[in-house]
Amino acid sequence: MFCPGKETAMKNTDKYTRNYFNPPVSEHRWSSQEYISKAPRWCSVDLRDGNQALIVPMSLEKKLEFFQFLCKLGFKEIEVGFPAASETEFQFVRTLIEQKLIPEDVTIQVITPAREHIIRKTFEALDGCRKAIIHLYNSTSVAQREQVFQKSRSEIIEIAVSGAKWLTEYAAKTKGEFLFEYTPESFTGTELDFAVEICNAVLDVWKPQKEHPVIINLASTVSLSMPHVYANQIEYMSDHLNYRENVVLSLHPHNDRGSAVAEAELGILASGQRVEGTLFGNGERTGNVDLITLALNLFSHGVDPILDLSNIPQVVEMYEDATGMNLPPRQPYGGQLVFAAFSGSHQDAIAKGMQWRQSHSGAHWNVPYLPIDPQDIGRSYENDVIRINSQSGKGGIGYLLEHKYGINMPKPMREEFGYIIKGISDHQHKELSPEEVHQIFMDTYLNLQTPIRLDDFYFVHKKEYHTTVSLTVGKEEMELTGRGNGRFDAVSNALRRGLNIRFHDIVYQEHALERGSTSRAIAYVGITSDSQKTYWGCGVHTDIIAASIFALFSAIDRMLTQEQND
């Protein structure tokens, strides 16, 4: 066990150091900005970066299906693969082009290292493409230069410049319109002066123009620092790149430190204009930046993300089918449990917040515990927000029954039923579905017929109401008579006198269960026994008087059953 003050909990701490480079600047403009005011350009790399991270990469058919789905979501730039990597990758690009599957407003992107034979193969795959981005990269970090390539800075620059020239050469003799992108791969482990030097060397080859801009993609290939350092690096690069007005500054964070979303958001504040990532962050190691989270974070601040994420369950279904991966239940926005409230206090606050909104139409969304309205992304309150287990409270249970089934119990009855549900969930060690909660309600309260069954009743009105009630007690059929100042009062008096049942302090509430001329009414009745315990019953009928009498019988049946068991 770790004991503070004796020895460290983790050994080998001195093995590690900070392998990143913070700019030599004391003030950073981005840090004074509070929020992102518009969406960046999105580029999905699910079909390349995400696909290469799968245990079983997608088939050609699955890639085609996923590509069409990404277009449907609104992605205008989609990195579709590494055409020289395999026959499937090559054939996928050819299929998109030859079958004219690329929408007019969508630009595909392919990736290639700075090697001539691979660049040649890449352009063979793109021949005849209406428009495409060719994404060139080579590694630039200290670790890669020293350990992998064993080359000097100038030699690494020569690799990048040669690749840029080959792109220009092959683009000129290949049918189609081509835009260029350069990534100093492993940018976060690269000295900033060298990152500027190599990017500018590539830009000097391509000489971007307003009508033909170049993308410089600054990848957090391995996340090495806190997110603000990445933002500092982005701002520094933005300030020192040549042709800046004709350069699109792109971000490509990975999630090694669990901070890819933060890196992207701060990077946008720091002049980033474009983000490459994947749905739900699928990618190598801990993954790429999660574009769903980024987009819906913008949405939660009132900014249009320019992606259609109104049906997140459908997005999750497609993602899981295409990748073979399961989305964690607590994944932001998409996870099955991210809006779920099991806690009684949380459920009560949500229910009251929703009620408040009903009387304050037009107010901005600010419901407790719900950063966005789940319905805006295709989720429901009943199935996704109010979840019932042993931690749930009367507010959440009552909200679920009211909004899913139209049952609006009196407050004391709601509290009693809340304890019943908590006890059942605790005993069974499981969550209860809305259907199970509803069934328990009906079994507990609704139109009960044991030990007394109501068979029939009718009234005669003179100065007061006279009633005859037909019922069965056990196996014995009986008729009781009574009178009162109302029909409900007459039935109550008939039961008291005819069966010698003692109860008082009747509480009564009713409302329509449905709308329309043939709708049913629901009534709730609470009675207090001589032991001062209140028993609740419920009745449902197309006639409100019948519903109230059934509710009275249900309450009496519960009282007699309980007292008999006691």
Side-chain angles (χ1 to χ4, degrees), residues 482-549:
R483 61 184 182 177
N485 56 17
R487 285 171 288 191
F488 185 86
D489 186 45
V491 174
S492 300
N493 291 335
L495 290 170
R496 285 191 180 100
R497 190 183 70 173
L499 295 179
N500 193 29
I501 298 175
R502 298 168 62 86
F503 58 88
H504 55 278
D505 294 339
I506 298 175
V507 179
Y508 173 74
Q509 182 176 307
E510 51 86 6
H511 62 82
L513 194 58
E514 299 122 358
R515 296 178 179 178
S517 58
T518 60
S519 66
R520 298 177 300 165
I522 185 168
Y524 314 91
V525 169
I527 60 174
T528 302
S529 68
D530 285 345
S531 63
Q532 300 305 308
K533 183 173 182 179
T534 299
Y535 295 90
W536 289 93
C538 180
V540 172
H541 199 276
T542 53
D543 177 73
I544 186 58
I545 297 301
S548 64
I549 293 172

Side-chain angles (χ1 to χ4, degrees), residues 108-136:
I108 63 169
Q109 177 172 305
V110 295
I111 192 168
T112 177
R115 300 173 66 181
E116 184 179 10
H117 70 286
I118 297 179
I119 292 171
R120 183 190 313 118
K121 184 75 170 179
T122 299
F123 276 95
E124 289 175 13
L126 290 172
D127 186 44
C129 184
R130 179 187 55 81
K131 188 176 183 180
I133 299 169
I134 294 80
H135 181 183
L136 177 74

Side-chain angles (χ1 to χ4, degrees), residues 417-490:
F417 186 58
Y419 282 111
I420 291 172
I421 291 297
K422 286 159 65 79
I424 292 173
S425 177
D426 190 30
H427 179 73
Q428 296 182 1
H429 300 291
K430 71 168 192 172
E431 178 187 359
L432 298 176
S433 69
E435 294 75 19
E436 288 175 309
V437 173
H438 184 232
Q439 189 62 52
I440 293 167
F441 175 84
M442 293 192 295
D443 294 343
T444 303
Y445 297 112
L446 184 62
N447 293 9
L448 302 182
Q449 300 185 49
T450 303
I452 302 174
R453 186 183 73 212
L454 173 63
D455 296 322
D456 199 5
F457 58 88
Y458 66 89
F459 301 97
V460 176
H461 187 212
K462 297 179 181 179
K463 288 185 178 181
E464 54 187 355
Y465 284 92
H466 295 254
T467 187
T468 299
V469 182
S470 300
L471 50 81
T472 301
V473 181
K475 296 182 179 180
E476 181 183 358
E477 296 181 356
M478 303 176 63
E479 277 196 353
L480 306 179
T481 60
R483 61 184 182 177
N485 56 17
R487 285 171 288 191
F488 185 86
D489 186 45

